[in-house]
Each structure stands twice: as C-alpha cells, then as structure tokens.
Amino acid sequence: MPALQFRHRASRLLALVAVMASSFSTHAVAADTNVAAAHAWRDARQMVLVVTDGWDATTGTLQRFELRDGHWQPASTAAPVSVGRNGAAWGMGLHPAQAQGPQKQEGDGRAPAGVFTLGEAFGYADKVDTAMPYRPMHATSYCIDVPDSPLYNRIIDTREEGEAAAKGSTEPMRLDLRNDGDPRYREGLVIGHNPKATPRAGSCIFAHLWRTPGEATAGCTAMASETMKAVLAWLAPDARPVFVLLPRDEYSRVMREWQLPEATR
C-alpha cells in the first residue's frame, strides 16, 4: 500500500475512534448526571407528584406516593390542581439542569418544574394538623420577591426585619386581611425552588389553596382545601418528602432515570 494512502486511512481511522470516544464520553456524562439526580432524593420516602398536560397547561393532577419495599406506591388517588397562569418552566431544585424547555424566571407566571424539597407549612391559624414545621402568618409577614433584596425568596416578619425589608414586595402572606378574606394562604407549604436565592430565578413558590376550582396562579400550585388538609396531615419530616412537578412528556422521558413512580392519567 502506498505510504500516502496508508496515512489517509490511518487518519480516517483515528478520526472515527475520536468520534466514538466523544460519543461514549457524552453518554457517560449524561448517565452520571441522571444517576446523580436520582441520588439527590434517594432518602425521600414520600412524594407529592403533580403532572400537567404540557408546558403551557394551567391545570394538572396531584397524587401522593410512599416508598415501600423499594418501590413507589400510591398513597392517594389523583386530585385536581392548578399551576401557573402561563404553565410551567424548569426550576432550580434537586434535579440536574435541563437545557430543553422554558426556564423559570421571576414574574413569568410559570410554576417551576422539577424535583424540590418541601419546606415549612404556613397559614392563618396558630396551628394546623401537620407534623411539618409550621409558621403562622401575621399582618407583618411577607415573602420577598424583590430580586435585589438580600432577603430574596424568604418569608420574613417586618417586626423582626423592619418595615424597609418588605419595601417593593408584592407577597403579603395574610391575603385575607388585604383582599376581602382571600383564602389562598390560609394553609400552604413552601416548595424549595431556588434554594440559593439566585436573583430573578423565581421566588415565593408555594402549594396553597385556590379561591375557585381551576383558577391559575402566579407560579404556585393551588388546590382544594380537602386536598391540602390531606397532604398536610400525611407529610412526615423524617420521610424527607419531595415535591415533583412535570409536564407529562417530560415525566415520561425522565421517569425511569429519576426513579419516579408511575403517574396516574
């Protein structure tokens, strides 16, 4: 074989090997990322699952699951919920970053999609029937949705932080005192979106009550009072509960890799 022809064949062979190695590396990284994602909530034994029909859907279903003998088992039937007025978008939580699909931003009217921790419960009453940490809300309670604030994405009490701390916030937590008995925050849960309080990535994301069935939200997940009461009474902090919200197509794509339960249609 002439030397020039040999060199050309050798060059093509090396290029093919490089492409195969690159492809293997990419798939290995993707696999590692998905394994890490599953491990991020490997200690969870309770899951609140919300599935919608698409990124722009404003309603969906909520179902509770418990981990038994290594498998997710239904702990409730599916109940109707509403989400953001513009649907959903990838949020910042326990799941790995996702490049495909809309990304959650402050004020976009979308509920964050992904896997999230569940934080403290809150409400108008001094206490409610739940084992979760509970904080009663007052006329001085606000969630700070001002991106440049050092208190961004936190619920505060102006009696402790000062009146100036809530300047510009549009999230008073006693809606009933400001809007003719508004029941939405009478009972609720903090969803752990944007835990590092990245400015403009979205703030003050809750599970809360709806005023009327199916009414869309500014980015939270809303439900009937009986659904919320059942969720609050069922949750156990030592079960490390997580909240999952995904459009159905995305759910089907990641269900196995993220070790999620079979969603009810």
Side-chain angles (χ1 to χ4, degrees):
M1 180 185 296
L4 181 59
Q5 184 179 0
F6 177 80
R7 286 198 297 271
H8 284 167
R9 289 189 177 181
S11 177
R12 287 198 296 271
L13 180 60
L14 288 172
L16 178 60
V17 170
V19 169
M20 292 174 65
S22 175
S23 176
F24 176 80
S25 175
T26 298
H27 283 84
V29 169
D32 287 347
T33 297
N34 287 318
V35 168
H39 287 176
W41 54 91
R42 66 184 180 277
D43 294 333
R45 300 193 307 279
Q46 289 185 324
M47 181 180 295
V48 178
L49 172 64
V50 172
V51 179
T52 68
D53 283 337
W55 285 117
D56 297 329
T58 62
T59 60
T61 58
L62 178 151
Q63 191 171 10
R64 295 179 276 119
F65 290 85
E66 295 175 347
L67 193 67
R68 302 178 198 146
D69 300 323
H71 300 283
W72 288 110
Q73 302 293 336
S76 74
T77 56
V81 295
S82 58
V83 296
R85 62 179 178 272
N86 293 320
W90 285 115
M92 301 172 71
L94 300 175
H95 58 282
Q98 302 290 306
Q100 302 300 318
Q103 306 294 313
K104 174 66 184 168
Q105 298 178 21
E106 186 68 44
D108 62 1
R110 291 182 179 270
V115 183
F116 309 92
T117 57
L118 274 170
E120 65 185 0
F122 62 85
Y124 300 163
D126 289 337
K127 61 181 180 179
V128 298
D129 179 19
T130 187
M132 296 294 282
Y134 177 78
R135 193 193 322 189
M137 296 291 103
H138 307 283
T140 50
S141 301
Y142 290 82
C143 189
I144 305 304
D145 56 1
V146 182
D148 296 329
S149 170
L151 300 171
Y152 182 61
N153 202 26
R154 282 177 51 189
I155 296 176
I156 69 159
D157 192 319
T158 57
R159 293 174 298 181
E160 300 169 0
E161 302 289 347
E163 293 288 338
K167 184 178 181 181
S169 173
T170 62
E171 285 286 349
M173 298 302 294
R174 284 301 300 265
L175 294 176
D176 58 325
L177 302 179
R178 299 168 183 271
N179 190 23
D180 194 27
D182 191 326
R184 283 176 291 175
Y185 291 173
R186 187 177 72 224
E187 293 172 341
L189 281 160
V190 174
I191 296 172
H193 164 68
N194 192 13
K196 295 183 179 179
T198 301
R200 296 176 176 78
S203 62
C204 307
I205 303 299
F206 310 132
H208 63 69
L209 305 183
W210 56 26
R211 286 182 296 192
T212 57
E215 180 184 27
T217 73
C220 297
T221 297
M223 63 199 72
S225 177
E226 57 267 25
T227 303
M228 176 62 74
K229 288 183 183 300
V231 169
L232 288 171
W234 170 76
L235 287 171
D238 62 359
R240 299 183 182 277
V242 291
F243 179 90
V244 180
L245 188 155
L246 288 168
R248 194 170 298 279
D249 286 349
E250 293 298 318
Y251 192 86
S252 297
R253 179 176 68 85
V254 303
M255 183 181 75
R256 291 196 178 195
E257 294 171 343
W258 290 10
Q259 299 176 15
L260 303 175
E262 187 75 38
T264 301
R265 284 190 171 272

